[in-house]
Amino acid sequence: MAEYQTHEHEVLVIGAGGAGLRAAIEASALGAKVAVVCKSLLGKAHTVMAEGGIAAALANVDDRDNWKVHFADTMRGGQYLNNPRMAQLHAQEAPARVRELEAWGALFDRTPDGRILQRNFGGHKYPRLAHVGDRTGLEMIRTLQDHGIHRGIDFFMECTVLRLLKDGGRIAGAFAYDRERGFFHLFRAPAIVLATGGAGRAYQITSNSWEYTGDGLALAYEAGATLMDMEFVQFHPTGMVWPPSVRGILVTEGVRGEGGILLNKDGRRFLFDDIPENYRAQTADNEEEGWRYTQGDKNARRPPELLTRDHVARCIVREIREGRGSPHGGVFLDISWIKRKLPNAAEYIKRKLPSMYHQFKQLADIDITAEPMEVGPTTHYMMGGVRVNAETQMSDVPGLFAAGECAAGLHGANRLGGNSLSDLLVFGKRAGEYAARFAQQSRPATPDPEEVEAVARQALAPFESYSGDNPYQVQRELQEVMQNWVGIVRREEELHRALEALGRLKERAKRASVTGNREYNPGWHTALDLHSLLVVSEAIARSAIERKESRGAHFRDDYPSQDPAFGRVNVVVRKGADGTMQVTREPLPPMPAELQQIIEEMK
Amino acid sequence: MAKATFRIWRGDAKGGRFEDYTTEVVPGMVVLDAIHEIQATQANDLAVRWNCKAGKCGSCSAEINGLPRLMCMTRLSQLSLDKPVTVEPMRSFPLIKDLATDLSWNFRLKGSIKPFKPRPPDAPDGTWRMDQADVDRVQEFRKCIECFLCQDVCHVLRDHQLFDEFIGPRFLVHAASLEMHPLDIEDRREELRKAQGIGYCNITKCCTKVCPEEIKITDNAIIPLKERVVDQFYDPLARLLRVFRGNRSG
Ligand SMILES: Cc1cc2nc3c(=O)[nH]c(=O)nc-3n(C[C@H](O)[C@H](O)[C@H](O)COP(=O)(O)OP(=O)(O)OC[C@H]3O[C@@H](n4cnc5c(N)ncnc54)[C@H](O)[C@@H]3O)c2cc1C
Ligand code: SF4
Ligand code: SF4
Ligand code: FES
């Protein structure tokens, strides 16, 4: 018999990033008894690292902005694979969610007349990102955390969920282990909100931390939910490339929003060479106009550096492949050039981008006010995730909700910068609200004790395996496979090769061995995370094979153009009755006529 | 390739010892990279916290060659590699295992500080107007990444163990961020003086020296708070300081 502590709640929130905290606050405001569990300490989730800002059509800086423009930008950025209803709700509700943060104590940068300041970002027509220098995520998570701890929510920090438990067809709870002591916990709850973030650890070069092994996606998949858009992994165009130890660490798009330009080794602004057709009308065709845009000239069009991330990342890869990269295999990102335009440029840069200044100074010996940075693409964000209902965020499994990065639908084939933080707030709130309602209307649900036993046994298996692989080694090899064969540029044969390699790694992961005991043992934790990484990696590779075209973040060398037939479907993944992964194409949700009209008007 | 030796604390609440591990040094490496390499290849069960690897989350606090620092922001090029680099957990908190300490006291404490309470909105649409200059002052405090290095180094906690009487620099910064928030109308002075023990701070500034966010904890948060409290109550040191500072500026 496994030993575990049992806890009873109405709503269990898995994850304490922006989405999880916002969901928990909402559920508890509706009177539900709520628990939050997270893998790290409170306030350390990925949300804390977000830099650039929160997208919301507040229209404080440019009064031409409104939800319709934000909606149309989001759809265009997502290449129209987005769930239109989600994109609509997101654009409509984001401003209220941002103002609410202010009412809870967040302090955003201000406009001269004292309102919330907004900055430019890729793919957003008007300055739209509410921000705090380049540490917006810290402000957001701390505000939610400090608000949340006074609401009677039970927090279980450093506690990792291993399995969702069901009673018949619906959710009944979750089984978890606590990192610090290695104890097991059984959480009983009729409603669960997944807010587990992304899966960037599936790749070698990533801006993501150890937590992002795609647990939420794997948990939902195993519980019978549908995953969608898994082929769309966002590679952020600007990660650090040098020195080796910082490879992948993010350089915020805010650098380009403030006037930073991308150059190849010949000093050429190569993004002017390739402006996609659907953005041509909105993009500057000369450097002067681009600069005026970043300085707030409403008659200027945006510089090509602020095109969507998928496009910018691919142009960077092209420059590097064709031998025009920087010494360490990236390209140059230069903000220091603005000294030719502004009298006190160095001060301006330090004030607007303090943590970038700090990061390069301390980690790379580079003074960004005086010299260019070297940057290259880094794995950043998962557009795909758990398929949910647009209004309620409930998945196909009754009682299982998902919000934030682990949910799919809002971003389609490519996410716009700043649209994640707003996503967390809008849909975190909705998930919390509907989860509380669902719980309050449901009969008690009881997890199956035998299943609980089985999960506990499986979790302890690595301690009994004596001659298996080192789990870190398996993880490294998985990351290599994904980086090399399921990366920015994909080919069918390589994707198949990746699948074969993942199959072999799956066998090795089952036999991974760990040393030491159950107390705070990262080797054990890494071994347990492998399952999620493998499920997610397989889903990405299979979905990438299924989508035989190039669109948004998914680029196929063997099918380099868009195919209208694929513009009408989402690729979805489910666990089949025989336990294997099933991949199918399903038609997009219908586009309401009034939304179609907005899209046409804004084209 | 060059190598370096790390003398890492291994053990738990029951006891422990330093162990030496040698690993290769690559350009730009930080202490956390070395710890990760050792963990992945030589000591899979080495307990360590980290998240962002960029000085943004405050997870990787430790004492490196005796100095409280973030492991992810400490470059090996700043250290002498001729002798082993010692890496040990923050010593003011109870040890869980290796480099991971029990920080729960900090999280409990925060819940005991009165939350933000704004004045009524300034505009009919429910929003407020604030000047950047007023916001700047508090944004300094809100940069805090909760690494708790300041708590680790403060002698009131570290040497005198006054965990029940004193909330420590981190939470004085937190209280300052609320008290000086342009919109906040709550009054926290009484608790600051009594339960939260602001009087125990004797302005040694050790906390300010270790803060990775370069928050001027003592000058900008604690001293102004002491002054506020003194307006209401009597704190000899703060009164003296005020006279001092008053004289200098006047
Ligand atoms: C460096 C960086 C900069 C960014 N900048 C921006 C930006 O400027 N604007 C923007 O909009 N977006 C930005 N993003 C993206 C955005 O920050 C993330 O997408 C977003 O924060 C995800 O939030 P979340 O609430 O969904 O999950 P996260 O904040 O990722 O939190 C996930 C939570 O789930 C928990 N969890 C995971 N698995 C388990 C499990 N098995 N058991 C228990 N708990 C679990 C984790 O511990 C964590 O608490 C940035 C991302 C990065 C990495
Ligand atoms: S200044 Fe005060 S709070 Fe800071 S270390 Fe010294 S005694 Fe502690
Ligand atoms: S005030 Fe500075 S040292 Fe203290 S917890 Fe915050 S960031 Fe760390
Ligand atoms: S890992 Fe985040 S501060 Fe060091």
Side-chain angles (χ1 to χ4, degrees):
Chain A
M1 275 287 285
E3 278 183 44
Y4 51 83
Q5 271 184 40
T6 305
H7 312 274
E8 295 265 357
H9 292 88
E10 285 169 303
V11 176
L12 173 68
V13 178
I14 306 177
L21 290 171
R22 189 63 192 81
I25 289 170
E26 196 62 20
S28 85
L30 292 173
K33 186 167 188 286
V34 181
V36 174
V37 298
C38 54
K39 282 167 100 167
S40 288
L41 296 173
L42 211 48
K44 313 297 183 194
H46 233 146
T47 302
V48 78
M49 295 168 220
E51 294 161 359
I54 313 177
L58 296 160
N60 287 355
V61 172
D62 193 320
D63 55 17
R64 290 172 297 180
D65 203 8
N66 59 52
W67 78 262
K68 293 180 181 172
V69 189
H70 191 184
F71 164 78
D73 287 351
T74 303
M75 295 296 295
R76 188 186 304 109
Q79 306 270 339
Y80 306 102
L81 289 189
N82 329 50
N83 177 317
R85 178 69 179 145
M86 278 177 88
Q88 177 190 18
L89 290 171
H90 167 253
Q92 286 174 328
E93 294 175 6
R97 296 287 81 78
V98 171
R99 291 196 196 106
E100 188 172 69
L101 282 186
E102 182 154 281
W104 294 346
L107 279 175
F108 294 101
D109 287 352
R110 315 309 293 181
T111 61
D113 66 348
R115 295 183 299 163
I116 295 174
L117 181 61
Q118 298 180 273
R119 69 156 48 119
N120 289 312
F121 237 57
H124 292 282
K125 187 156 186 201
Y126 301 119
R128 191 175 282 147
L129 269 69
H131 61 276
V132 185
D134 52 6
R135 56 159 193 87
T136 314
L138 171 63
E139 188 69 17
M140 176 160 147
I141 201 165
R142 200 68 83 229
T143 302
L144 292 170
Q145 176 188 348
D146 292 354
H147 188 73
I149 56 172
H150 294 284
R151 321 268 107 198
I153 299 164
D154 293 330
F155 288 97
F156 295 84
M157 301 194 289
E158 302 202 305
C159 183
T160 304
V161 172
L162 287 169
R163 184 77 63 89
L164 299 178
L165 303 163
K166 298 207 310 194
D167 179 353
R170 69 195 180 101
I171 280 295
F175 194 71
Y177 68 92
D178 117 39
R179 297 172 67 80
E180 295 188 2
R181 314 283 167 199
F183 299 153
F184 288 135
H185 295 267
L186 172 64
F187 292 94
R188 296 177 49 150
I192 291 185
V193 179
L194 290 172
T196 52
R201 291 311 278 182
Y203 291 83
Q204 232 170 4
I205 300 175
T206 175
S207 65
N208 287 195
S209 88
W210 68 271
E211 295 193 299
Y212 301 99
T213 47
D215 297 0
L217 309 184
L219 290 168
Y221 168 83
E222 297 291 351
T226 307
L227 305 183
M228 180 174 93
D229 293 341
M230 293 297 290
E231 66 276 33
F232 297 115
V233 178
Q234 181 165 75
F235 298 92
H236 193 291
T238 59
M240 293 176 81
V241 298
W242 187 260
S245 70
V246 297
R247 191 156 193 142
I249 294 180
L250 194 76
V251 181
T252 175
E253 194 166 317
V255 175
R256 285 169 281 146
E258 300 296 345
I261 55 176
L262 287 164
L263 303 167
N264 65 18
K265 78 171 201 296
D266 309 319
R268 183 171 177 81
R269 270 180 88 173
F270 54 90
L271 280 162
F272 275 110
D273 302 342
D274 180 5
I275 297 169
E277 196 47 52
N278 56 340
Y279 280 95
R280 191 152 300 155
Q282 318 185 346
T283 308
D285 54 15
N286 64 82
E287 303 193 3
E288 191 51 39
E289 183 180 1
W291 167 250
R292 283 193 283 115
Y293 176 90
T294 63
Q295 296 310 295
D297 180 342
K298 294 188 180 173
N299 298 316
R301 293 169 300 173
R302 79 184 96 168
E305 275 83 0
L306 291 178
L307 284 163
T308 53
R309 290 176 175 177
D310 51 344
H311 175 77
V312 178
R314 263 195 308 278
C315 289
I316 292 177
V317 170
R318 183 194 62 214
E319 293 301 303
I320 299 169
R321 285 199 172 176
E322 293 175 8
R324 293 186 296 274
S326 65
H328 301 107
V331 295
F332 295 107
L333 171 62
D334 189 13
I335 180 84
S336 70
W337 80 280
I338 68 170
K339 60 184 176 251
R340 301 207 298 266
K341 296 282 186 184
L342 292 178
N344 39 12
E347 281 321 301
Y348 178 82
I349 295 167
K350 282 189 219 169
R351 186 160 50 80
K352 285 294 183 181
L353 302 161
S355 57
M356 282 307 106
Y357 174 75
H358 203 65
Q359 184 172 310
F360 273 90
K361 191 97 189 152
Q362 261 182 292
L363 296 176
D365 299 317
I366 297 255
D367 176 356
I368 67 168
T369 68
E371 53 196 317
M373 304 161 237
E374 269 187 83
V375 296
T378 182
T379 313
H380 186 55
Y381 185 87
M382 194 68 219
M383 267 75 71
V386 182
R387 189 171 76 179
V388 292
N389 174 288
E391 316 278 331
T392 65
Q393 299 293 107
M394 190 156 91
S395 70
D396 295 347
V397 177
L400 183 62
F401 298 76
E405 188 169 341
C406 71
L410 172 60
H411 308 293
N414 173 59
R415 171 178 75 92
L416 298 186
N419 268 1
S420 170
L421 293 185
S422 43
D423 171 10
L424 311 183
L425 295 171
V426 168
F427 294 107
K429 175 181 185 290
R430 282 183 166 267
E433 177 184 338
Y434 287 95
R437 292 209 189 141
F438 182 93
Q440 286 160 349
Q441 287 161 7
S442 35
R443 292 169 290 111
T446 314
D448 173 2
E450 271 172 42
E451 189 178 0
V452 172
E453 281 300 318
V455 184
R457 240 189 343 266
Q458 252 177 42
L460 295 175
F463 287 108
E464 260 115 60
S465 164
Y466 297 105
S467 55
D469 275 295
N470 169 347
Y472 290 93
Q473 184 58 32
V474 180
Q475 194 193 56
R476 275 186 190 182
E477 287 178 35
L478 178 143
Q479 291 168 338
E480 272 168 38
V481 167
M482 294 300 285
Q483 188 77 35
N484 295 338
W485 295 331
V486 198
I488 302 187
V489 178
R490 300 165 174 178
R491 261 180 225 109
E492 188 116 354
E493 65 196 82
E494 290 184 352
L495 292 167
H496 281 293
R497 210 180 301 161
L499 276 180
E500 284 161 29
L502 289 172
R504 289 191 295 274
L505 287 168
K506 211 188 277 179
E507 290 311 309
R508 287 169 57 191
K510 279 186 201 147
R511 295 191 311 270
S513 344
V514 302
T515 53
N517 55 28
R518 282 167 69 173
E519 266 176 29
Y520 219 116
N521 185 340
W524 182 36
H525 308 154
T526 303
L528 294 177
D529 286 344
L530 287 174
H531 175 71
S532 309
L533 274 178
L534 283 159
V535 169
V536 169
S537 300
E538 183 180 344
I540 296 172
R542 287 196 190 279
S543 303
I545 292 172
E546 186 69 17
R547 187 170 283 280
K548 297 185 197 320
E549 65 154 356
S550 293
R551 179 183 300 269
H554 173 67
F555 185 79
R556 287 278 304 256
D557 220 12
D558 39 0
Y559 300 93
S561 39
Q562 275 195 6
D563 174 350
F566 276 103
R568 293 189 284 272
V569 293
N570 292 117
V571 174
V572 303
V573 171
R574 286 190 197 87
K575 187 169 182 170
D578 61 352
T580 61
M581 193 175 277
Q582 308 296 318
V583 182
T584 46
R585 300 175 201 172
E586 289 186 8
L588 298 181
M591 170 81 74
E594 71 273 18
L595 296 183
Q596 186 61 46
Q597 196 188 337
I598 296 172
I599 291 173
E600 296 306 326
E601 280 165 13
M602 306 275 170
K603 257 190 177 149
Chain B
M1 207 174 256
K3 288 187 186 277
T5 300
F6 292 82
R7 184 159 290 171
I8 303 172
W9 182 262
R10 300 299 311 267
D12 56 22
K14 296 188 280 294
R17 66 203 173 280
F18 281 107
E19 275 185 34
D20 284 0
Y21 300 89
T22 299
T23 187
E24 273 176 9
V25 177
V26 299
M29 201 161 178
V30 294
V31 171
L32 186 62
D33 293 319
I35 299 287
H36 278 158
E37 193 53 34
I38 290 164
Q39 185 188 51
T41 55
Q42 306 175 44
N44 285 182
D45 62 343
L46 171 59
V48 56
R49 288 195 180 99
W50 72 283
N51 286 81
C52 67
K53 220 169 115 31
K56 294 192 170 72
C57 72
S59 301
C60 64
S61 308
E63 298 186 8
I64 301 167
N65 286 342
L67 293 175
R69 308 181 68 162
L70 296 177
M71 286 185 273
C72 70
M73 296 303 276
T74 307
R75 300 265 299 264
L76 296 191
S77 55
Q78 301 162 339
L79 305 169
S80 157
L81 301 181
D82 301 339
K83 49 185 189 322
V85 175
T86 61
V87 186
E88 52 191 316
M90 288 194 282
R91 290 297 186 187
S92 296
F93 303 111
L95 186 61
I96 295 173
K97 193 178 139 202
D98 305 336
L99 301 176
T101 54
D102 180 351
L103 297 169
S104 54
W105 171 76
N106 293 283
F107 288 93
R108 276 198 307 278
L109 211 54
K110 197 178 219 181
S112 73
I113 295 171
K114 277 191 200 149
F116 174 67
K117 183 165 145 196
R119 69 175 185 235
D122 301 335
D125 65 353
T127 60
W128 288 271
R129 300 290 175 270
M130 286 178 258
D131 268 351
Q132 185 65 44
D134 295 332
V135 166
D136 277 342
R137 190 163 66 140
V138 182
Q139 280 181 340
E140 179 189 1
F141 307 140
R142 296 184 64 90
K143 282 194 310 190
C144 170
I145 55 175
E146 300 201 328
C147 64
F148 305 125
L149 287 170
C150 57
Q151 306 286 76
D152 182 44
V153 83
C154 174
H155 68 103
V156 182
L157 301 171
R158 192 179 179 108
D159 302 331
H160 305 288
Q161 298 280 311
L162 294 175
F163 288 90
D164 295 328
E165 288 90 349
F166 181 52
I167 59 175
R170 159 58 193 138
F171 294 102
L172 291 172
V173 168
H174 179 59
S177 79
L178 292 164
E179 284 285 294
M180 296 179 209
H181 193 296
L183 304 183
D184 185 80
I185 50 172
E186 186 62 87
D187 183 352
R188 299 172 187 80
R189 289 176 298 179
E190 173 137 358
E191 303 91 283
L192 276 168
R193 188 177 69 98
K194 291 186 183 153
Q196 297 166 356
I198 191 169
Y200 284 107
C201 163
N202 58 348
I203 319 209
T204 58
K205 301 201 185 186
C206 312
C207 52
T208 304
K209 281 192 208 110
V210 300
C211 177
E213 284 292 312
E214 296 175 1
I215 300 171
K216 299 218 164 42
I217 303 177
T218 330
D219 289 352
N220 292 353
I222 300 182
I223 293 175
L225 273 187
K226 277 179 176 270
E227 285 171 353
R228 282 183 181 223
V229 169
V230 108
D231 285 342
Q232 199 187 20
F233 307 100
Y234 178 72
D235 174 340
L237 189 60
R239 161 115 355 144
L240 201 70
L241 262 167
R242 195 150 57 139
V243 170
F244 233 59
R245 301 200 327 155
N247 281 351
R248 230 183 332 177
S249 60

